[in-house]
Amino acid sequence: MDKSTDVVQAIARLASFYRHESCGQCTPCREGSKWLDLMMARFVRGNATSAEIDQILEITKEMEGHTICALADAAAWPVQGLMRHFRPEVEKRLKDAVAGAEIRSDAGYRPDQTIATA
C-alpha cells in the first residue's frame, strides 16, 4: 500500500474477508462481521451517516474479546484503526458524497459485491 491507496476501501475489503472467514459459531463474530462488511461498504460508497462511525465502533467493541477464537478481534481491529487514524478522511468522504462530489476508488473492488454470500 502507498499513499494512493483508498484506505476506506482497503479496510472494507478486509471486513469482507473476515465476514467470509467467520465460521458462524459465535454470535458476536457471525453478526458483527456481517455488520462491519455492510457498513464499510456504505462508507466506501459514501452513503453512510456520520453517526454510523460511532455505531461501527460500538459494534467492534462488542465483538472484541467475546468469542471463542481471535477472528472477531482480527475483524474489529482494522476498523478501529481506520476510525482512530483516518476518521477525518471518512467524515470528509461522507460530506463530499452528500454534496454530490464523485467518490474516487479503485475500479477493481465493488463494495456491493462482497465475497460473502449470506
Side-chain angles (χ1 to χ4, degrees):
M1 289 177 36
D2 59 20
K3 290 188 183 263
S4 69
T5 301
D6 180 349
V7 70
V8 177
Q9 186 175 2
I11 301 303
R13 184 67 181 93
L14 282 173
S16 181
F17 168 78
Y18 283 117
R19 178 182 180 183
H20 181 264
E21 291 302 310
S22 174
C23 74
Q25 182 176 356
C26 304
T27 302
C29 186
R30 180 182 63 245
E31 295 300 317
S33 62
K34 173 184 164 187
W35 279 104
L36 293 184
D37 184 25
L38 295 173
M39 292 177 79
M40 285 305 303
R42 289 175 48 81
F43 286 124
V44 169
R45 289 190 302 265
N47 63 351
T49 63
S50 56
E52 287 179 69
I53 294 173
D54 293 324
Q55 257 183 336
I56 201 168
L57 285 172
E58 187 60 35
I59 290 169
T60 64
K61 290 189 180 9
E62 292 299 324
M63 293 171 66
E64 190 177 18
H66 294 103
T67 56
I68 295 169
C69 78
L71 191 115
D73 295 351
W77 292 339
V79 174
Q80 290 174 353
L82 172 70
M83 298 310 174
R84 184 179 320 114
H85 299 292
F86 296 96
R87 186 174 182 141
E89 188 173 317
V90 174
E91 290 172 342
K92 181 183 181 314
R93 178 186 216 114
L94 300 179
K95 286 178 189 167
D96 287 351
V98 169
E102 181 182 341
I103 304 294
R104 307 233 20 184
S105 43
D106 296 338
Y109 172 71
R110 292 186 41 210
D112 58 324
Q113 292 184 334
T114 60
I115 59 173
T117 57

